[in-house]
Amino acid sequence: MGVSRAAVLAIDGGNSKTEVALALADGTVLASVRVGPFTPYLDGVAGAVAVAAQGVALIRAELGLAADEPLADLLAAYVAGADFPVEVEALTEEFAAHGWAERTIVDNDLFALMRSGTSNPWGVAVVCGAGMNAVGIAPDGRHARFPAIGVVSGDWGGGAGIGETAHWFAVRAEDGRGAPTVLRKAVAEHFGKASMAELVEAIHFGEIAEDRFGELAPLVFEVAGLGDEVALSIVDRLANEVCAWAFAAMGRLDLMDTEIEVVLGGGVLRARQPLLMERIERSFAERAPRAVLTVADERPIHGAVLLGLDELARR
C-alpha cells in the first residue's frame, strides 16, 4: 500500500480480546485485527505482549510491511493489568523492546474506553463488565484512577458482583435467614437445580464453578422488572456504585460542576437496562446536572487510536 510508517500503532488489550490498529496522522485506519486475550496476571508481561505481537505480525503481513522496521511514530497501548505504576513501567519496557514504534506509551485500557466516547481528550469513564473500574482526565491533564483489584481495594459490582449477591440473597431466602425473593427459584433453575441447597452442594463439590455467577446478571434485571424487592435492591446498589465511581473521579479532578462527558462501558452498562439507567440518570441529575452521560458504542480501539493522535498533537 506504499506505507512505510504510520502515525500510531494502537493496542486495546482486554481480558477477552486484544485489538491492534495502524493509523495515519489524519485518523485513517490502514488495518486492524483482533487476537486473543491480554492477561498479564495469567501469562506474565512477556506472554501478554506476545499476544499483541501476533496482531502486529498480522498487520505487517496484510500491508506487506517489513518485519524489522518500526511501524509507527508512536505505540499507544491501553491494556488490562496496567493498574499500578510498577505494572505500567514493566509493560512499557516490554512493548518498547519490540521496536514497533519510535516512542511507546502504555496505560490502563479504561482510558481507551473513555476516549472512544468523548469529543475531547478529557472526561470520565466507568466500566461495568465482569468487574468495575473508573478513570478520569481533567482538561489540564490531571488523572484520576483506582486500583480496582476487587474487595481488597473496596470494589463491588460488575456481572460477578451482581451474580454473587443474587446467589447470596437466594440462599438466605430459602434457609430462612433472608427476605423472600423470586431469585430463590430463578437462580437455582438457572443452574439446573431444584433448590438452592442443591446448588450450594454442587458448587462446594466443584460441579458448578463459582466464576459462573456473572451469568446471573441478566436474570437479576429480569426479576427486578417483576417488582421483586430484593432484586431491585441489587439494581439500586449497582446504580449507586456506578455513580460512586464516576463522582469520585469527577470530585478528585474538581469537575463536579463542569460540563463533562461521562462514558459508560462494559457489558452490563452497554445493555442499557432501563431500571439501571433510570437510577443512574436520576442521580446525575441531582448531583452533577451538567455532566453528559454516554454509553460507549465505539470499540475501545477507536479510543486508543485517538489517544495516540492526541499525544502526537501535544509534541
Side-chain angles (χ1 to χ4, degrees):
M1 295 182 63
V3 177
S4 58
R5 183 179 300 177
V8 175
L9 176 63
I11 296 175
D12 166 53
N15 292 316
S16 61
K17 48 73 184 168
T18 302
E19 290 195 78
V20 184
L22 188 64
L24 297 176
D26 64 0
T28 300
V29 175
L30 301 174
S32 65
V33 299
R34 179 179 294 189
V35 288
F38 193 95
T39 51
Y41 54 89
L42 294 176
D43 304 324
V45 169
V49 175
V51 173
Q54 298 171 12
V56 175
L58 289 172
I59 284 180
R60 286 191 190 274
E62 179 179 339
L63 299 179
L65 301 176
D68 57 351
E69 295 181 1
L71 281 168
D73 296 322
L74 177 69
L75 168 62
Y78 294 88
V79 296
D83 297 305
F84 292 91
V86 65
E87 294 171 328
V88 173
E89 181 180 351
L91 286 162
T92 301
E93 289 180 359
E94 184 66 26
F95 273 115
H98 284 267
W100 295 332
E102 292 297 325
R103 189 160 58 94
T104 298
I105 57 171
V106 176
D107 216 325
N108 189 274
D109 56 340
L110 197 47
F111 286 103
L113 168 66
M114 184 209 76
R115 191 66 178 92
S116 73
T118 59
S119 57
N120 298 298
W122 60 278
V124 164
V126 179
V127 65
C128 184
M132 293 190 69
N133 197 0
V135 296
I137 302 178
D140 61 9
R142 288 177 296 126
H143 285 49
R145 60 196 305 157
F146 305 83
I149 54 176
V151 174
V152 70
S153 58
D155 310 337
W156 176 87
I162 297 167
E164 185 179 60
T165 304
H167 173 90
W168 186 86
F169 276 120
V171 170
R172 294 170 70 89
E174 181 171 284
D175 68 18
R177 288 179 292 166
T181 171
V182 175
L183 289 171
R184 169 184 174 179
K185 183 171 185 287
V187 170
E189 288 183 348
H190 176 84
F191 291 107
K193 300 300 177 182
S195 67
M196 289 305 299
E198 283 189 16
L199 177 57
V200 168
E201 185 175 348
I203 293 172
H204 178 68
F205 287 107
E207 177 189 336
I208 296 174
E210 289 188 38
D211 62 10
R212 291 185 60 190
F213 281 142
E215 298 174 14
L216 296 173
L219 181 65
V220 171
F221 288 109
E222 180 182 337
V223 173
L226 301 175
D228 184 271
E229 291 186 4
V230 170
L232 282 169
S233 75
I234 299 175
V235 176
D236 285 338
R237 183 180 178 186
L238 182 63
N240 290 337
E241 196 68 10
V242 170
C243 294
W245 285 98
F247 295 155
M250 293 165 65
R252 285 161 57 180
L253 298 174
D254 303 313
L255 297 175
M256 286 296 291
D257 298 320
T258 302
E259 187 173 320
I260 181 175
E261 293 167 299
V262 178
V263 182
L264 307 179
V268 176
L269 290 171
R270 283 201 309 270
R272 295 175 167 85
Q273 294 285 351
L275 288 173
L276 178 62
M277 297 307 298
E278 288 167 6
R279 285 159 170 75
I280 293 172
E281 290 166 1
R282 183 164 61 245
S283 184
F284 267 85
E286 293 172 355
R287 293 197 54 192
R290 299 188 65 191
V292 179
L293 284 173
T294 303
V295 178
D297 289 318
E298 294 281 0
R299 302 196 315 276
I301 189 63
H302 175 78
V305 170
L306 291 176
L307 283 169
L309 295 175
D310 293 341
E311 177 68 20
L312 289 175
R314 285 193 288 269
R315 304 289 290 190

